[in-house]
Amino acid sequence: MRSHRLIAAVAVGLLALASCSSSDGNGDDRKIAVSATDDSCDIADTDLKAGTHTFAVTNDGEEVTEFYVYSGNKVVSEVENIAPGTTRDLTVELTSGDYEGACKPGMKGYGIRSDIKVTGKAKAKTDPKLVEATTEYEKYIATEADELVGATEKFVRLVKAGKAEQAKRLYPRARTHWERIEPVAEIFGDLDPKIDARANDVEPGTKFTGFHKLEKDLWKTKDISSSGPVVDQLLADVRTIVKRAKNEELQPLQLANGSKALLDEVATTKITGEEDRYSHTDLWDFAANVEGSEAAIDALRPALKERDPELLTKLDRQFAKVEKTLAEHRAGDGYELHTELTRAELKEMSNAINALSESVSQVAVAIAK
Ligand SMILES: [Cu+2]
């Protein structure tokens, strides 16, 4: 660790020349360079003025990485799925206080963290269209959160009654409400893994709990006789997260970043079939992520129309394209299984998502103006 710090200090000194310090008390137009390798995370500037800032995160390592900004235990924002050799931007709104920046090589674990200090007072943002956008989206979160609790309660009852077939049918339906609002859940970094971690993501020293443990019990081991405590824990965690989510006051930039995060989820865990590896109901989650992403953009629509109408037109076209591709794989009142899709079909879906994702990543910049 010590040697990394030393290298980091040198690198920061060099990068500072090419990047910002700060200026007008409302953030800075210049980007803050972050160089992420497999064992270091160098943030060019960690002394910031309150306001909007963009971190340009370059993956100089070999593993896929991600970058988070934390305020205490809470995730302020994150950018996932940064492939080696590529750079992705994360635009965030920071009020004065102490933060941490974290790179997570391999996209897991505690990350390599540095302190970020934000001082001063940001200029108040008064665009009524943006204020309205967050109110709208908070309503959407509240509705989905209620549905999630209701569906989870039913799921609990079925599992405890030993009704495996009915529980299996409900599983992807309950998850739909979760997957639509997951970026809000991810603000509370401690609970998201308890509810939604996959077997391979479970941190050493913690237990495998949540939806995917039950998915395993239902489809793989086909034994739910001792799943009662797991399902009770899931419901307790869901209730806690829902309560927190409903009390959370969101910033317009969180809508933009959340919308993007949902599409990242599709690309990293749904296209690959990693998410629902036992039930193969990944397309349900895929659809829910896209719907949640679109809900955030819809809330921002009036503001976007004013600020970047061309981007909005493009987004509408690309969302339609993704939905059309997805519609081709509807089955009954749900979707085909991941295992029923050909490589070519998955490739087509992934292309549509990547194009859309690229446009959605411009939304934060448009509304931060
Ligand atoms: Cu998920």
Side-chain angles (χ1 to χ4, degrees):
M1 281 313 282
R2 191 155 298 204
S3 66
H4 290 150
R5 276 180 196 281
L6 200 65
I7 294 165
V10 173
V12 166
L14 292 174
L15 284 165
L17 295 171
S19 81
C20 70
S21 44
S22 218
S23 56
D24 64 355
N26 201 26
D28 198 297
D29 281 349
R30 283 166 294 181
K31 292 178 181 176
I32 302 159
V34 178
S35 166
T37 72
D38 299 342
D39 50 18
S40 69
C41 181
D42 303 333
I43 306 170
D45 194 350
T46 52
D47 242 320
L48 307 174
K49 288 255 159 70
T52 307
H53 292 276
T54 299
F55 295 91
V57 187
T58 304
N59 186 350
D60 295 315
E62 319 252 283
E63 284 192 271
V64 178
T65 195
E66 57 190 359
F67 180 74
Y68 284 71
V69 176
Y70 287 96
S71 162
N73 284 329
K74 279 207 290 185
V75 177
V76 178
S77 212
E78 57 172 304
V79 54
E80 286 180 54
N81 201 22
I82 311 167
T86 64
T87 300
R88 292 186 69 176
D89 287 353
L90 177 66
T91 302
V92 285
E93 179 130 29
L94 301 173
T95 53
S96 68
D98 294 327
Y99 298 85
E100 279 182 308
C103 300
K104 298 191 180 177
M107 303 217 289
K108 57 175 69 168
Y110 179 77
I112 305 158
R113 302 195 181 199
S114 324
D115 293 331
I116 297 174
K117 207 170 178 55
V118 179
T119 50
K121 211 167 155 25
K123 269 187 241 153
K125 288 249 162 64
T126 47
D127 184 343
K129 291 194 170 69
L130 289 180
V131 177
E132 178 63 21
T134 56
T135 314
E136 268 307 297
Y137 188 66
E138 280 164 8
K139 276 188 226 157
Y140 175 78
I141 296 290
T143 310
E144 287 301 318
D146 287 338
E147 300 266 354
L148 172 64
V149 172
T152 310
E153 284 167 348
K154 256 189 231 160
F155 186 63
V156 171
R157 281 199 295 273
L158 291 172
V159 170
K160 287 175 116 176
K163 295 184 174 160
E165 282 318 305
Q166 291 177 40
K168 279 168 144 181
R169 273 200 295 280
L170 189 58
Y171 171 82
R173 291 179 173 80
R175 286 186 57 75
T176 291
H177 303 293
W178 166 260
E179 291 287 330
R180 282 181 184 149
I181 60 173
E182 200 171 349
V184 177
E186 280 171 353
I187 295 172
F188 315 105
D190 50 334
L191 278 171
D192 181 52
K194 285 182 77 182
I195 295 171
D196 196 38
R198 271 78 64 184
N200 57 306
D201 286 335
V202 177
E203 302 285 339
T206 50
K207 260 174 78 185
F208 183 24
T209 58
F211 276 117
H212 297 297
K213 167 71 173 103
L214 294 155
E215 180 199 2
K216 189 176 181 186
D217 296 351
L218 283 164
W219 273 273
K220 182 112 196 288
T221 43
K222 297 187 171 70
D223 177 9
I224 51 171
S225 59
S226 52
S227 307
V230 185
V231 95
D232 281 338
Q233 184 63 49
L234 172 67
L235 182 57
D237 291 337
V238 161
R239 281 189 175 135
T240 309
I241 212 164
V242 155
K243 206 159 120 206
R244 290 199 209 161
K246 283 178 152 183
N247 285 325
E248 187 71 10
E249 235 178 82
L250 298 171
Q251 297 288 330
L253 273 177
Q254 284 177 297
L255 273 57
N257 291 331
S259 177
K260 178 79 175 78
L262 280 166
L263 300 177
D264 285 345
E265 279 238 353
V266 174
T268 51
T269 63
K270 276 71 179 190
I271 294 280
T272 55
E274 180 201 309
E275 178 91 43
D276 298 293
R277 62 188 61 169
Y278 313 111
S279 65
H280 307 301
T281 52
D282 305 270
L283 283 199
W284 293 72
D285 291 35
F286 181 130
N289 285 156
V290 172
E291 285 154 8
S293 175
E294 196 169 18
I297 300 299
D298 265 339
L300 291 166
R301 181 173 294 274
L304 274 176
K305 201 166 181 178
E306 195 173 78
R307 288 151 182 260
D308 196 340
E310 265 170 59
L311 178 59
L312 185 59
T313 310
K314 199 168 165 193
L315 286 167
D316 283 339
R317 194 172 6 98
Q318 289 171 330
F319 268 113
K321 165 93 177 128
V322 168
E323 276 152 20
K324 188 174 157 276
T325 317
L326 201 50
E328 285 162 18
H329 301 287
R330 287 217 71 124
D333 66 341
Y335 294 91
E336 289 172 0
L337 299 181
H338 189 273
T339 40
E340 291 169 322
L341 300 178
T342 66
R343 238 167 214 273
E345 286 169 333
L346 287 168
K347 183 76 194 148
E348 192 197 353
M349 298 182 112
S350 137
N351 287 344
I353 281 292
N354 289 340
L356 171 62
S357 183
E358 180 55 40
S359 304
V360 169
S361 69
Q362 294 163 32
V363 173
V365 180
I367 64 165
K369 273 183 208 155

